[in-house]
């Protein structure tokens, strides 16, 4: 990436719009230089001089700056939200942060996600975390608190409570039952 491209991205310089587009590896989204979204790390950026090249490389257009001058369809956006959830489930991923990473507003993201999937993004995040925790309980001898932290719960009692709500038993009971089976 040239210095002028990085400077244009840093300054949200609209004079470079339609001259190049920048794709962000961590989110799989591409934007105009003028996009008001959070400044990505420089090492996560790939520059494209044709937006179709970004699409062919697996990036989707930003919902905020609309680099193709057309809206992103909801199914594509929900797929991207799922990718963000899958890749960041262990982090403290609030709806605000998720909306920021997915380049949309919190309320609209929640509305579209629920409309398309029948669940909220927070419910999907919990589903991912519980699935990962289940696998770790079955396939390792790590302590329950360690597994809880690895799947995004800093508070072990809260992790145990959520696990019990999901599976009907505590993580330790679940592990012991699976060992006997």
């Amino acid at each position: 990436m040239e210095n002028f491209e990085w400077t244009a991205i840093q300054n949200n310089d609209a004079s470079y719009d339609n001259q190049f587009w920048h794709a962000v590896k961590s989110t799989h989204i591409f934007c105009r230089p003028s996009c008001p979204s959070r400044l990505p790390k420089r090492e996560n950026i790939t520059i494209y001089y044709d937006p179709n090249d970004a699409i062919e490389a697996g990036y989707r257009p930003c919902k905020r700056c609309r680099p193709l001058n057309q809206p992103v369809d909801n199914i594509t956006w929900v797929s991207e939200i799922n990718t963000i959830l899958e890749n960041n489930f262990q982090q403290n991923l609030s709806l605000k942060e998720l909306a920021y990473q997915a380049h949309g507003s919190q309320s609209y993201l929640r509305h579209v996600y629920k409309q398309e999937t029948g669940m909220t993004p927070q419910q999907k995040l919990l589903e991912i975390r519980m699935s990962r925790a289940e696998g770790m309980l079955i396939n390792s001898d790590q302590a329950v608190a360690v597994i809880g932290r690895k799947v995004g719960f800093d508070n072990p009692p809260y992790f145990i409570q959520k696990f019990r709500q999901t599976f009907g038993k505590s993580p330790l009971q679940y592990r012991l039952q699976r060992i006997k089976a």
Side-chain angles (χ1 to χ4, degrees):
M1 172 176 23
E2 301 292 327
N3 281 334
F4 79 91
E5 294 161 339
W6 176 241
T7 301
I9 295 166
Q10 285 178 304
N11 297 325
N12 305 110
D13 190 340
S15 67
Y16 287 96
D17 284 0
N18 299 323
Q19 291 183 33
F20 74 88
W21 292 260
H22 68 282
V24 183
K25 295 174 191 170
S26 58
T27 61
H28 302 295
I29 295 171
F30 74 96
C31 301
R32 302 169 184 265
S34 64
C35 187
S37 295
R38 180 189 304 169
L39 182 66
K41 292 180 181 176
R42 188 173 182 164
E43 62 268 16
N44 286 339
I45 295 175
T46 303
I47 300 298
Y48 293 95
Y49 294 97
D50 182 336
N52 292 316
D53 292 342
I55 292 170
E56 287 176 22
Y59 294 97
R60 77 141 175 96
C62 174
K63 206 148 173 82
R64 187 172 289 151
C65 71
R66 297 182 177 181
L68 299 177
N69 294 320
Q70 43 188 264
V72 174
D73 69 271
N74 289 344
I75 294 171
T76 301
W77 196 35
V78 166
S79 176
E80 179 57 35
I81 293 165
N82 282 335
T83 299
I84 294 169
L85 291 171
E86 286 284 345
N87 291 336
N88 299 288
F89 71 90
Q90 69 283 6
Q91 298 174 10
N92 183 12
L93 196 57
S94 66
L95 185 59
K96 181 178 180 180
E97 179 61 25
L98 180 60
Y100 197 82
Q101 287 189 32
H103 296 208
S105 74
Q106 294 176 51
S107 60
Y108 188 64
L109 181 145
R110 190 176 196 284
H111 169 76
V112 167
Y113 195 89
K114 183 151 186 149
Q115 179 183 358
E116 295 295 328
T117 67
M119 63 175 43
T120 66
Q122 296 91 341
Q123 289 169 327
K124 179 64 176 178
L125 179 59
L126 181 62
E127 181 182 275
I128 293 166
R129 287 175 170 173
M130 290 297 107
S131 174
R132 299 290 174 99
E134 178 185 29
M136 288 182 201
L137 283 165
I138 294 168
N139 298 311
S140 78
D141 59 356
Q142 296 176 31
V144 168
V146 170
I147 291 172
R149 279 191 297 278
K150 285 185 174 184
V151 298
F153 291 95
D154 291 333
N155 182 334
Y158 185 66
F159 167 63
I160 293 167
Q161 174 191 2
K162 288 299 183 185
F163 193 91
R164 186 184 304 274
Q165 287 173 353
T166 302
F167 294 101
K169 50 187 66 108
S170 74
L172 186 55
Q173 290 169 331
Y174 187 87
R175 175 183 271 163
L176 292 173
Q177 182 182 13
R178 295 298 297 242
I179 290 172
K180 290 178 183 175

